[in-house]
Amino acid sequence: MTQNAPPYTSSLLRLLSERGYVHQVTDAHGLDALAAKQIVPGYIGFDATAPSLHVGSLVQIMMLRRLQQAGHKPIVLMGGGTTKVGDPSGKDESRKMLTSADIAANIASIRTVFEKLLTFGDGPTDAVMVDNDTWLSALGYVELLRTVGPHFTINRMMTFDSVKLRLEREQPLTFLEFNYMILQAYDFRELALTAGCRLQMGGSDQWGNIVNGIELTRRMESVEVYGLTTPLLTTADGAKMGKTAAGAVWLNEDALPAWDFWQYWRNVDDRDVGRFLRLFTDLPLDEIARLEALGGSEINAAKVVLANEVTKLVRGAEAAAAAEATAAATFAGGGVGADLPSLACPDGSIALIDALIGLGFAASRGEAKRLIAGGGARVEGHSVTDEAHVIAFQGAEIRVSSGKKKHGVLRPA
RNA sequence: GGACAGGUGGCCGAGUGGUUAAAGGCAGCAGACUGUAAAUCUGCCCGCGCAAGCGUACGCUAGUUCGAAUCUAGCCCUGUCCA
């Protein structure tokens, strides 16, 4: 639930708060006043560990979009430098060291998504993308200690939740992690100095880092800067956003086809529809209120709107339209849509098992058989329980499905 | 460097010589019910095989044994404490 909105005067804070982006602000009224009288350059940091960001980062990206919509300047900070060190917090994953080339390629790939959602350029409110590697790798350790070190007291660092939590739980906190917050703080100070940046935003887990940056900037440069965090975004059933059977919901087209991306939004929990519409689409609030109020099965219309709008923003209007058309044809009409995964079969017949594997519905023959045995495999919408079933076809496309939601097409080669 | 604890399937977590492809939970997939939702109930959930079965798997390596996730030794890694 969003808290009752304070009476903000700036369009920025009004926009952010009424759309549900605001969790905590360091100095809401100070920021409000600043945003009302000048262009506020604000930044959010992103990881460069993979060639694509996923849905979990979309709130942050959208927040930069809102910043720009409200007439301010978004700065996309890519963590090229911090990625080199390797973020130690995700300790479940074996941290493979990325080469500089990998990181550069990742950043280039991620940038394509930002270009859809933000307007880049040289103008006063145009977005820019920077890489903290630029300044971090130029920094010597001793120099870092001398510049930044005096402004951090261990006493204070110990009071941060991220640190406290680890200590209380007797979980290890490495020295590297302890330094990580210093590097993050340094980013803010650097951007404040070189780009006039006055605001850092991020997920609620970044609160401590953001506050550190604010503190450091004030101490070193005597500049007042602000921080704002979004609520931790989970789906209504409590899971972290962005996971599906196939893995993460990636924002880049080459990491996840538009059809699957669209389906992700089409299938969100009823309870999430309004919240997601506010966060992830540009629809006017009264329109969203109307959609959100739909009851029973009518809420499905709102989900289609959600899927269309988000896909349009992230993947383009064409992809959204194609996905919707495919959905209409596939689910309502019982036919096939152009966007479905397809498999070309050379000689006019194929074993059902192979078709399921070829379409990516089963990872192994055993899995395909289990699917068939469980009644989940369908040909032309009819459940087939014979494991040895062979599909023969002449000329026409044949629809093969796994369950009621995952559909694919067989095409004669 | 020393003492202790521990490393089990995507995750958590039982299992201390055969009955263990490994309890249970979570996640996932499918079926029923629905609205391409949620909740609930049911089935499935290492690979190959129509099947009998075969292969692979309990940190790594080498042993003991008819037989090891379970015992022994060495090594690697993680945690706690001491130096």
PDB file of all heavy atoms in Angstrom, chain B residues 61-72:
ATOM      1  P     U B  61      36.698 -37.769  -7.940  1.00  0.00           P
ATOM      2  OP1   U B  61      36.813 -37.925  -9.402  1.00  0.00           O
ATOM      3  OP2   U B  61      35.577 -38.383  -7.197  1.00  0.00           O
ATOM      4  O5'   U B  61      38.045 -38.252  -7.251  1.00  0.00           O
ATOM      5  C5'   U B  61      39.304 -37.926  -7.827  1.00  0.00           C
ATOM      6  C4'   U B  61      40.414 -38.434  -6.949  1.00  0.00           C
ATOM      7  O4'   U B  61      40.294 -37.840  -5.636  1.00  0.00           O
ATOM      8  C3'   U B  61      40.382 -39.923  -6.650  1.00  0.00           C
ATOM      9  O3'   U B  61      40.934 -40.686  -7.707  1.00  0.00           O
ATOM     10  C2'   U B  61      41.245 -40.003  -5.392  1.00  0.00           C
ATOM     11  O2'   U B  61      42.613 -39.925  -5.695  1.00  0.00           O
ATOM     12  C1'   U B  61      40.815 -38.736  -4.660  1.00  0.00           C
ATOM     13  N1    U B  61      39.787 -39.006  -3.632  1.00  0.00           N
ATOM     14  C2    U B  61      40.239 -39.477  -2.410  1.00  0.00           C
ATOM     15  O2    U B  61      41.421 -39.663  -2.171  1.00  0.00           O
ATOM     16  N3    U B  61      39.256 -39.719  -1.481  1.00  0.00           N
ATOM     17  C4    U B  61      37.900 -39.541  -1.646  1.00  0.00           C
ATOM     18  O4    U B  61      37.143 -39.800  -0.716  1.00  0.00           O
ATOM     19  C5    U B  61      37.513 -39.067  -2.950  1.00  0.00           C
ATOM     20  C6    U B  61      38.447 -38.823  -3.877  1.00  0.00           C
ATOM     21  P     A B  62      40.515 -42.224  -7.857  1.00  0.00           P
ATOM     22  OP1   A B  62      41.162 -42.715  -9.081  1.00  0.00           O
ATOM     23  OP2   A B  62      39.060 -42.348  -7.680  1.00  0.00           O
ATOM     24  O5'   A B  62      41.206 -42.901  -6.584  1.00  0.00           O
ATOM     25  C5'   A B  62      42.594 -43.186  -6.605  1.00  0.00           C
ATOM     26  C4'   A B  62      43.043 -43.612  -5.232  1.00  0.00           C
ATOM     27  O4'   A B  62      42.554 -42.671  -4.253  1.00  0.00           O
ATOM     28  C3'   A B  62      42.482 -44.939  -4.731  1.00  0.00           C
ATOM     29  O3'   A B  62      43.164 -46.040  -5.302  1.00  0.00           O
ATOM     30  C2'   A B  62      42.728 -44.814  -3.234  1.00  0.00           C
ATOM     31  O2'   A B  62      44.076 -45.019  -2.903  1.00  0.00           O
ATOM     32  C1'   A B  62      42.377 -43.335  -3.010  1.00  0.00           C
ATOM     33  N9    A B  62      40.985 -43.174  -2.559  1.00  0.00           N
ATOM     34  C8    A B  62      39.879 -42.812  -3.278  1.00  0.00           C
ATOM     35  N7    A B  62      38.773 -42.768  -2.571  1.00  0.00           N
ATOM     36  C5    A B  62      39.187 -43.137  -1.297  1.00  0.00           C
ATOM     37  C6    A B  62      38.501 -43.284  -0.075  1.00  0.00           C
ATOM     38  N6    A B  62      37.191 -43.070   0.056  1.00  0.00           N
ATOM     39  N1    A B  62      39.198 -43.660   1.008  1.00  0.00           N
ATOM     40  C2    A B  62      40.518 -43.883   0.876  1.00  0.00           C
ATOM     41  N3    A B  62      41.279 -43.770  -0.214  1.00  0.00           N
ATOM     42  C4    A B  62      40.547 -43.392  -1.271  1.00  0.00           C
ATOM     43  P     G B  63      42.533 -47.500  -5.115  1.00  0.00           P
ATOM     44  OP1   G B  63      43.510 -48.478  -5.630  1.00  0.00           O
ATOM     45  OP2   G B  63      41.154 -47.486  -5.629  1.00  0.00           O
ATOM     46  O5'   G B  63      42.470 -47.605  -3.530  1.00  0.00           O
ATOM     47  C5'   G B  63      42.171 -48.795  -2.906  1.00  0.00           C
ATOM     48  C4'   G B  63      42.270 -48.601  -1.418  1.00  0.00           C
ATOM     49  O4'   G B  63      41.759 -47.302  -1.032  1.00  0.00           O
ATOM     50  C3'   G B  63      41.412 -49.584  -0.645  1.00  0.00           C
ATOM     51  O3'   G B  63      42.099 -50.798  -0.492  1.00  0.00           O
ATOM     52  C2'   G B  63      41.189 -48.854   0.666  1.00  0.00           C
ATOM     53  O2'   G B  63      42.292 -48.967   1.532  1.00  0.00           O
ATOM     54  C1'   G B  63      41.036 -47.405   0.192  1.00  0.00           C
ATOM     55  N9    G B  63      39.654 -47.022  -0.034  1.00  0.00           N
ATOM     56  C8    G B  63      39.075 -46.629  -1.228  1.00  0.00           C
ATOM     57  N7    G B  63      37.813 -46.330  -1.117  1.00  0.00           N
ATOM     58  C5    G B  63      37.531 -46.532   0.229  1.00  0.00           C
ATOM     59  C6    G B  63      36.310 -46.366   0.952  1.00  0.00           C
ATOM     60  O6    G B  63      35.219 -45.996   0.523  1.00  0.00           O
ATOM     61  N1    G B  63      36.465 -46.688   2.297  1.00  0.00           N
ATOM     62  C2    G B  63      37.639 -47.111   2.870  1.00  0.00           C
ATOM     63  N2    G B  63      37.590 -47.367   4.174  1.00  0.00           N
ATOM     64  N3    G B  63      38.778 -47.269   2.214  1.00  0.00           N
ATOM     65  C4    G B  63      38.647 -46.951   0.911  1.00  0.00           C
ATOM     66  P     U B  64      41.336 -52.161  -0.662  1.00  0.00           P
ATOM     67  OP1   U B  64      42.318 -53.246  -0.643  1.00  0.00           O
ATOM     68  OP2   U B  64      40.391 -52.003  -1.803  1.00  0.00           O
ATOM     69  O5'   U B  64      40.487 -52.216   0.687  1.00  0.00           O
ATOM     70  C5'   U B  64      41.153 -52.261   1.943  1.00  0.00           C
ATOM     71  C4'   U B  64      40.144 -52.282   3.049  1.00  0.00           C
ATOM     72  O4'   U B  64      39.491 -50.992   3.139  1.00  0.00           O
ATOM     73  C3'   U B  64      38.986 -53.246   2.830  1.00  0.00           C
ATOM     74  O3'   U B  64      39.347 -54.576   3.181  1.00  0.00           O
ATOM     75  C2'   U B  64      37.929 -52.665   3.765  1.00  0.00           C
ATOM     76  O2'   U B  64      38.189 -52.979   5.108  1.00  0.00           O
ATOM     77  C1'   U B  64      38.143 -51.168   3.532  1.00  0.00           C
ATOM     78  N1    U B  64      37.262 -50.632   2.479  1.00  0.00           N
ATOM     79  C2    U B  64      35.954 -50.323   2.833  1.00  0.00           C
ATOM     80  O2    U B  64      35.510 -50.484   3.944  1.00  0.00           O
ATOM     81  N3    U B  64      35.176 -49.843   1.807  1.00  0.00           N
ATOM     82  C4    U B  64      35.560 -49.626   0.497  1.00  0.00           C
ATOM     83  O4    U B  64      34.743 -49.173  -0.304  1.00  0.00           O
ATOM     84  C5    U B  64      36.929 -49.969   0.222  1.00  0.00           C
ATOM     85  C6    U B  64      37.707 -50.444   1.185  1.00  0.00           C
ATOM     86  P     U B  65      39.025 -55.744   2.212  1.00  0.00           P
ATOM     87  OP1   U B  65      39.543 -56.975   2.819  1.00  0.00           O
ATOM     88  OP2   U B  65      39.449 -55.359   0.843  1.00  0.00           O
ATOM     89  O5'   U B  65      37.443 -55.795   2.241  1.00  0.00           O
ATOM     90  C5'   U B  65      36.757 -56.131   3.431  1.00  0.00           C
ATOM     91  C4'   U B  65      35.283 -55.880   3.261  1.00  0.00           C
ATOM     92  O4'   U B  65      35.057 -54.477   2.991  1.00  0.00           O
ATOM     93  C3'   U B  65      34.639 -56.564   2.062  1.00  0.00           C
ATOM     94  O3'   U B  65      34.383 -57.933   2.314  1.00  0.00           O
ATOM     95  C2'   U B  65      33.361 -55.746   1.906  1.00  0.00           C
ATOM     96  O2'   U B  65      32.409 -56.102   2.876  1.00  0.00           O
ATOM     97  C1'   U B  65      33.889 -54.334   2.200  1.00  0.00           C
ATOM     98  N1    U B  65      34.227 -53.602   0.959  1.00  0.00           N
ATOM     99  C2    U B  65      33.219 -52.845   0.372  1.00  0.00           C
ATOM    100  O2    U B  65      32.102 -52.752   0.837  1.00  0.00           O
ATOM    101  N3    U B  65      33.565 -52.211  -0.788  1.00  0.00           N
ATOM    102  C4    U B  65      34.788 -52.252  -1.419  1.00  0.00           C
ATOM    103  O4    U B  65      34.954 -51.634  -2.455  1.00  0.00           O
ATOM    104  C5    U B  65      35.782 -53.060  -0.750  1.00  0.00           C
ATOM    105  C6    U B  65      35.467 -53.692   0.386  1.00  0.00           C
ATOM    106  P     C B  66      34.822 -58.977   1.197  1.00  0.00           P
ATOM    107  OP1   C B  66      34.696 -60.313   1.818  1.00  0.00           O
ATOM    108  OP2   C B  66      36.100 -58.552   0.581  1.00  0.00           O
ATOM    109  O5'   C B  66      33.659 -58.794   0.122  1.00  0.00           O
ATOM    110  C5'   C B  66      33.819 -59.346  -1.194  1.00  0.00           C
ATOM    111  C4'   C B  66      32.505 -59.205  -1.915  1.00  0.00           C
ATOM    112  O4'   C B  66      31.506 -60.010  -1.237  1.00  0.00           O
ATOM    113  C3'   C B  66      31.918 -57.803  -1.886  1.00  0.00           C
ATOM    114  O3'   C B  66      32.445 -57.014  -2.931  1.00  0.00           O
ATOM    115  C2'   C B  66      30.428 -58.067  -2.067  1.00  0.00           C
ATOM    116  O2'   C B  66      30.093 -58.326  -3.401  1.00  0.00           O
ATOM    117  C1'   C B  66      30.259 -59.346  -1.246  1.00  0.00           C
ATOM    118  N1    C B  66      29.864 -59.080   0.145  1.00  0.00           N
ATOM    119  C2    C B  66      28.548 -58.665   0.398  1.00  0.00           C
ATOM    120  O2    C B  66      27.762 -58.517  -0.536  1.00  0.00           O
ATOM    121  N3    C B  66      28.162 -58.434   1.659  1.00  0.00           N
ATOM    122  C4    C B  66      29.027 -58.600   2.657  1.00  0.00           C
ATOM    123  N4    C B  66      28.606 -58.360   3.896  1.00  0.00           N
ATOM    124  C5    C B  66      30.370 -59.005   2.434  1.00  0.00           C
ATOM    125  C6    C B  66      30.740 -59.248   1.171  1.00  0.00           C
ATOM    126  P     G B  67      32.862 -55.527  -2.614  1.00  0.00           P
ATOM    127  OP1   G B  67      33.356 -54.931  -3.866  1.00  0.00           O
ATOM    128  OP2   G B  67      33.701 -55.523  -1.398  1.00  0.00           O
ATOM    129  O5'   G B  67      31.451 -54.871  -2.270  1.00  0.00           O
ATOM    130  C5'   G B  67      30.522 -54.618  -3.342  1.00  0.00           C
ATOM    131  C4'   G B  67      29.233 -54.100  -2.789  1.00  0.00           C
ATOM    132  O4'   G B  67      28.730 -55.027  -1.799  1.00  0.00           O
ATOM    133  C3'   G B  67      29.323 -52.782  -2.015  1.00  0.00           C
ATOM    134  O3'   G B  67      29.298 -51.690  -2.910  1.00  0.00           O
ATOM    135  C2'   G B  67      28.066 -52.835  -1.151  1.00  0.00           C
ATOM    136  O2'   G B  67      26.915 -52.506  -1.893  1.00  0.00           O
ATOM    137  C1'   G B  67      28.014 -54.330  -0.805  1.00  0.00           C
ATOM    138  N9    G B  67      28.615 -54.612   0.498  1.00  0.00           N
ATOM    139  C8    G B  67      29.822 -55.221   0.737  1.00  0.00           C
ATOM    140  N7    G B  67      30.078 -55.366   2.010  1.00  0.00           N
ATOM    141  C5    G B  67      28.971 -54.824   2.646  1.00  0.00           C
ATOM    142  C6    G B  67      28.670 -54.699   4.025  1.00  0.00           C
ATOM    143  O6    G B  67      29.353 -55.058   4.994  1.00  0.00           O
ATOM    144  N1    G B  67      27.445 -54.090   4.237  1.00  0.00           N
ATOM    145  C2    G B  67      26.608 -53.649   3.238  1.00  0.00           C
ATOM    146  N2    G B  67      25.480 -53.082   3.637  1.00  0.00           N
ATOM    147  N3    G B  67      26.865 -53.767   1.942  1.00  0.00           N
ATOM    148  C4    G B  67      28.055 -54.359   1.728  1.00  0.00           C
ATOM    149  P     A B  68      30.050 -50.336  -2.474  1.00  0.00           P
ATOM    150  OP1   A B  68      29.838 -49.397  -3.596  1.00  0.00           O
ATOM    151  OP2   A B  68      31.421 -50.651  -2.036  1.00  0.00           O
ATOM    152  O5'   A B  68      29.225 -49.890  -1.185  1.00  0.00           O
ATOM    153  C5'   A B  68      27.878 -49.457  -1.252  1.00  0.00           C
ATOM    154  C4'   A B  68      27.766 -48.150  -0.488  1.00  0.00           C
ATOM    155  O4'   A B  68      28.419 -48.277   0.784  1.00  0.00           O
ATOM    156  C3'   A B  68      28.414 -47.022  -1.275  1.00  0.00           C
ATOM    157  O3'   A B  68      27.399 -46.105  -1.574  1.00  0.00           O
ATOM    158  C2'   A B  68      29.598 -46.535  -0.408  1.00  0.00           C
ATOM    159  O2'   A B  68      29.499 -45.175  -0.192  1.00  0.00           O
ATOM    160  C1'   A B  68      29.378 -47.248   0.942  1.00  0.00           C
ATOM    161  N9    A B  68      30.545 -47.855   1.600  1.00  0.00           N
ATOM    162  C8    A B  68      31.720 -48.311   1.108  1.00  0.00           C
ATOM    163  N7    A B  68      32.531 -48.808   2.008  1.00  0.00           N
ATOM    164  C5    A B  68      31.826 -48.654   3.192  1.00  0.00           C
ATOM    165  C6    A B  68      32.129 -48.984   4.534  1.00  0.00           C
ATOM    166  N6    A B  68      33.267 -49.564   4.918  1.00  0.00           N
ATOM    167  N1    A B  68      31.205 -48.694   5.470  1.00  0.00           N
ATOM    168  C2    A B  68      30.075 -48.129   5.104  1.00  0.00           C
ATOM    169  N3    A B  68      29.667 -47.784   3.869  1.00  0.00           N
ATOM    170  C4    A B  68      30.610 -48.068   2.958  1.00  0.00           C
ATOM    171  P     A B  69      27.009 -45.086  -2.325  1.00  0.00           P
ATOM    172  OP1   A B  69      25.672 -45.543  -2.619  1.00  0.00           O
ATOM    173  OP2   A B  69      27.994 -44.854  -3.414  1.00  0.00           O
ATOM    174  O5'   A B  69      26.903 -43.763  -1.452  1.00  0.00           O
ATOM    175  C5'   A B  69      27.660 -42.609  -1.778  1.00  0.00           C
ATOM    176  C4'   A B  69      27.523 -41.587  -0.703  1.00  0.00           C
ATOM    177  O4'   A B  69      26.119 -41.259  -0.544  1.00  0.00           O
ATOM    178  C3'   A B  69      27.961 -42.073   0.674  1.00  0.00           C
ATOM    179  O3'   A B  69      29.335 -41.832   0.849  1.00  0.00           O
ATOM    180  C2'   A B  69      27.113 -41.219   1.610  1.00  0.00           C
ATOM    181  O2'   A B  69      27.656 -39.929   1.791  1.00  0.00           O
ATOM    182  C1'   A B  69      25.808 -41.089   0.819  1.00  0.00           C
ATOM    183  N9    A B  69      24.806 -42.080   1.193  1.00  0.00           N
ATOM    184  C8    A B  69      24.309 -43.096   0.427  1.00  0.00           C
ATOM    185  N7    A B  69      23.395 -43.823   1.032  1.00  0.00           N
ATOM    186  C5    A B  69      23.289 -43.231   2.278  1.00  0.00           C
ATOM    187  C6    A B  69      22.487 -43.526   3.398  1.00  0.00           C
ATOM    188  N6    A B  69      21.624 -44.531   3.427  1.00  0.00           N
ATOM    189  N1    A B  69      22.620 -42.744   4.497  1.00  0.00           N
ATOM    190  C2    A B  69      23.506 -41.741   4.454  1.00  0.00           C
ATOM    191  N3    A B  69      24.318 -41.363   3.459  1.00  0.00           N
ATOM    192  C4    A B  69      24.151 -42.145   2.391  1.00  0.00           C
ATOM    193  P     U B  70      30.164 -42.517   2.020  1.00  0.00           P
ATOM    194  OP1   U B  70      31.555 -42.150   1.863  1.00  0.00           O
ATOM    195  OP2   U B  70      29.783 -43.957   2.200  1.00  0.00           O
ATOM    196  O5'   U B  70      29.564 -41.721   3.245  1.00  0.00           O
ATOM    197  C5'   U B  70      29.923 -42.006   4.571  1.00  0.00           C
ATOM    198  C4'   U B  70      28.720 -42.475   5.367  1.00  0.00           C
ATOM    199  O4'   U B  70      27.697 -42.957   4.481  1.00  0.00           O
ATOM    200  C3'   U B  70      29.023 -43.622   6.316  1.00  0.00           C
ATOM    201  O3'   U B  70      29.013 -43.107   7.644  1.00  0.00           O
ATOM    202  C2'   U B  70      27.922 -44.639   6.100  1.00  0.00           C
ATOM    203  O2'   U B  70      27.293 -44.980   7.289  1.00  0.00           O
ATOM    204  C1'   U B  70      26.939 -43.911   5.173  1.00  0.00           C
ATOM    205  N1    U B  70      26.234 -44.782   4.241  1.00  0.00           N
ATOM    206  C2    U B  70      25.074 -45.399   4.685  1.00  0.00           C
ATOM    207  O2    U B  70      24.659 -45.259   5.816  1.00  0.00           O
ATOM    208  N3    U B  70      24.451 -46.180   3.751  1.00  0.00           N
ATOM    209  C4    U B  70      24.827 -46.402   2.450  1.00  0.00           C
ATOM    210  O4    U B  70      24.151 -47.119   1.749  1.00  0.00           O
ATOM    211  C5    U B  70      26.037 -45.721   2.062  1.00  0.00           C
ATOM    212  C6    U B  70      26.680 -44.956   2.953  1.00  0.00           C
ATOM    213  P     C B  71      30.394 -42.478   8.218  1.00  0.00           P
ATOM    214  OP1   C B  71      30.089 -42.055   9.596  1.00  0.00           O
ATOM    215  OP2   C B  71      30.962 -41.518   7.261  1.00  0.00           O
ATOM    216  O5'   C B  71      31.364 -43.738   8.277  1.00  0.00           O
ATOM    217  C5'   C B  71      31.349 -44.624   9.406  1.00  0.00           C
ATOM    218  C4'   C B  71      32.529 -45.569   9.301  1.00  0.00           C
ATOM    219  O4'   C B  71      32.293 -46.487   8.196  1.00  0.00           O
ATOM    220  C3'   C B  71      33.832 -44.890   8.925  1.00  0.00           C
ATOM    221  O3'   C B  71      34.477 -44.369  10.080  1.00  0.00           O
ATOM    222  C2'   C B  71      34.616 -46.042   8.306  1.00  0.00           C
ATOM    223  O2'   C B  71      35.138 -46.904   9.285  1.00  0.00           O
ATOM    224  C1'   C B  71      33.519 -46.766   7.539  1.00  0.00           C
ATOM    225  N1    C B  71      33.401 -46.326   6.130  1.00  0.00           N
ATOM    226  C2    C B  71      34.442 -46.639   5.242  1.00  0.00           C
ATOM    227  O2    C B  71      35.431 -47.259   5.656  1.00  0.00           O
ATOM    228  N3    C B  71      34.336 -46.254   3.948  1.00  0.00           N
ATOM    229  C4    C B  71      33.263 -45.589   3.533  1.00  0.00           C
ATOM    230  N4    C B  71      33.198 -45.235   2.251  1.00  0.00           N
ATOM    231  C5    C B  71      32.194 -45.259   4.419  1.00  0.00           C
ATOM    232  C6    C B  71      32.302 -45.640   5.694  1.00  0.00           C
ATOM    233  P     U B  72      35.436 -43.115   9.963  1.00  0.00           P
ATOM    234  OP1   U B  72      35.794 -42.690  11.327  1.00  0.00           O
ATOM    235  OP2   U B  72      34.819 -42.150   9.023  1.00  0.00           O
ATOM    236  O5'   U B  72      36.722 -43.717   9.251  1.00  0.00           O
ATOM    237  C5'   U B  72      37.543 -44.682   9.909  1.00  0.00           C
ATOM    238  C4'   U B  72      38.755 -44.973   9.062  1.00  0.00           C
ATOM    239  O4'   U B  72      38.340 -45.637   7.838  1.00  0.00           O
ATOM    240  C3'   U B  72      39.484 -43.730   8.562  1.00  0.00           C
ATOM    241  O3'   U B  72      40.371 -43.244   9.548  1.00  0.00           O
ATOM    242  C2'   U B  72      40.219 -44.272   7.337  1.00  0.00           C
ATOM    243  O2'   U B  72      41.372 -45.003   7.690  1.00  0.00           O
ATOM    244  C1'   U B  72      39.177 -45.237   6.766  1.00  0.00           C
ATOM    245  N1    U B  72      38.348 -44.629   5.709  1.00  0.00           N
ATOM    246  C2    U B  72      38.905 -44.513   4.442  1.00  0.00           C
ATOM    247  O2    U B  72      40.036 -44.864   4.182  1.00  0.00           O
ATOM    248  N3    U B  72      38.068 -43.947   3.505  1.00  0.00           N
ATOM    249  C4    U B  72      36.790 -43.519   3.681  1.00  0.00           C
ATOM    250  O4    U B  72      36.157 -43.043   2.737  1.00  0.00           O
ATOM    251  C5    U B  72      36.289 -43.671   5.022  1.00  0.00           C
ATOM    252  C6    U B  72      37.070 -44.206   5.974  1.00  0.00           C
TER     253        U B  72
END
